[in-house]
Amino acid sequence: MQVGVLALQGAFREHSKMIEKNGEKAVEIRLPVELDRVSALVIPGGESTTISKLMVEYAFPERIKEFAASGRPVFGTCAGMIVLAGNQDGRRQDLLGLIDIDVKRNAYGRQVASREVDLEIETLGGEPFRAVFIRAPIIEKLGPGVIPLARYLDKVVMARQENIIVTAFHPELTGDPRIHRYFLNMAGEWEKNPFAFRRPQAHSA
Ligand code: GLN
């Protein structure tokens, strides 16, 4: 399976390594046309303003919306979660708006600005997941179609809506492949059945 990692800015190499560690082929995506080659897409952490600006410059937003509307899974971590969210810092966001959550940037404050914690993530089973937070965004609100998958300090830090998943933390940095495996399994389901997560057009706008 070929899995794309948006390689405009941020921690894309670490995601590629994690995908390869799970035995799949990672493809760094720098142009929208390269999305045609992949079954799923990771939008990495980094600096969300820079990533958004570059996405617009390279005409990615419409293509990523189409990509998601086709049912292919998209995974956003940290800054990647910010660009996928429907609302940022109290404002409606049209850039992608592919998951019905409200996010607030850099919202954990100084003490929690960068820290490692163990999260219980039921869907993964087994051991707690070691999660790295780096100037992480907070998910302030989840729409009715969004399923919470993990919590930290009373906030949801991992969530899923159909074929879109997000984490406020960086699962590519701790060597535990399970969250990437979970995502790659979604991509596998899509490959078997492209209608597995197909979303009504209205939701993908
Ligand atoms: N604070 C960053 C932003 O707002 C996100 C941090 C990260 O991706 N590690 O873009």
Side-chain angles (χ1 to χ4, degrees), residues 8-178:
L8 299 176
Q9 190 266 335
F12 53 88
R13 285 191 191 90
E14 292 76 2
H15 276 288
S16 297
K17 277 190 205 136
M18 241 341 169
I19 290 163
E20 309 250 322
K21 188 169 169 174
N22 274 291
E24 307 296 348
K25 171 104 183 73
V27 179
E28 292 185 356
I29 305 285
R30 294 194 173 79
L31 292 170
V33 67
E34 292 164 336
L35 289 170
D36 296 343
R37 295 168 49 199
V38 298
S39 302
L41 176 69
V42 176
I43 305 182
E47 215 287 313
S48 56
T49 322
T50 309
I51 294 177
S52 307
K53 221 175 100 217
L54 291 170
M55 277 174 57
V56 171
E57 212 167 300
Y58 289 90
F60 269 106
E62 281 315 308
R63 292 302 310 280
I64 294 178
K65 286 182 194 177
E66 282 166 24
F67 185 88
S70 76
R72 290 170 175 86
V74 180
F75 178 18
T77 60
C78 203
M81 171 173 99
I82 297 170
V83 304
L84 282 167
N87 284 290
Q88 185 200 317
D89 298 331
R91 291 186 316 273
R92 175 92 206 123
Q93 205 179 228
D94 294 326
L95 185 70
L96 296 178
L98 286 170
I99 181 162
D100 188 11
I101 55 172
D102 293 11
V103 295
K104 193 157 181 232
R105 291 179 65 195
N106 304 321
Y108 281 99
R110 280 258 202 79
Q111 305 88 312
V112 193
S114 292
R115 92 161 23 170
E116 289 192 21
V117 297
D118 286 327
L119 302 176
E120 295 290 342
I121 307 181
E122 213 177 295
T123 9
L124 301 181
E127 303 286 296
F129 190 93
R130 188 96 182 140
V132 182
F133 288 81
I134 304 169
R135 291 167 54 75
I138 276 184
I139 303 180
E140 295 191 300
K141 224 159 94 194
L142 287 82
V146 184
I147 302 162
L149 295 175
R151 286 190 164 79
Y152 172 59
L153 296 177
D154 289 339
K155 298 283 182 200
V156 172
V157 292
M158 177 175 177
R160 172 172 176 177
Q161 183 174 17
E162 297 160 346
N163 56 332
I164 311 294
I165 62 168
V166 292
T167 59
F169 54 93
H170 289 263
E172 75 284 10
L173 295 182
T174 34
D176 187 334
R178 288 178 294 162

